[in-house]
Amino acid sequence: MAALLPPQCVAWLSESAPASEPLTPSGFVEAVAERDIVDELQARRAVAAVLSALADMADEALLRRILTQLPPGHAALFGRMDPA
């Protein structure tokens, strides 16, 4: 997945400590807002832009693997529906 992201996103992911427990989609957006010191609307727009671009670049098998590893509800951040 990191190979599909812009370099500044890779650094953000690799330098951040993992969450101690799975985040809800809203919790993920809140964490991005806190990390980047922006409001939640800006964070939601940024998350949606990056993750939907990633989803467009990934093949269906990779995207399905990513989404099935995330708690339900995260697919919407990628502009997709939760896998069945």
Side-chain angles (χ1 to χ4, degrees):
M1 181 171 92
L4 299 175
L5 294 171
Q8 64 271 28
C9 294
V10 174
W12 189 87
L13 287 174
S14 63
E15 294 170 3
S16 298
S20 58
E21 58 187 58
L23 296 172
T24 64
S26 295
F28 179 74
V29 171
E30 289 170 15
V32 170
E34 289 174 13
R35 165 77 164 64
D36 288 344
I37 312 171
V38 297
D39 66 40
E40 285 188 38
L41 181 58
Q42 289 174 306
R44 183 168 298 282
R45 287 180 182 155
V47 165
V50 170
L51 294 183
S52 65
L54 184 136
D56 290 343
M57 293 170 50
D59 64 42
E60 287 301 314
L62 175 59
L63 184 57
R64 185 169 186 77
R65 282 197 324 265
I66 292 168
L67 294 178
T68 57
Q69 292 180 41
L70 295 171
H74 282 76
L77 295 176
F78 290 80
R80 302 298 197 269
M81 295 181 64
D82 281 318

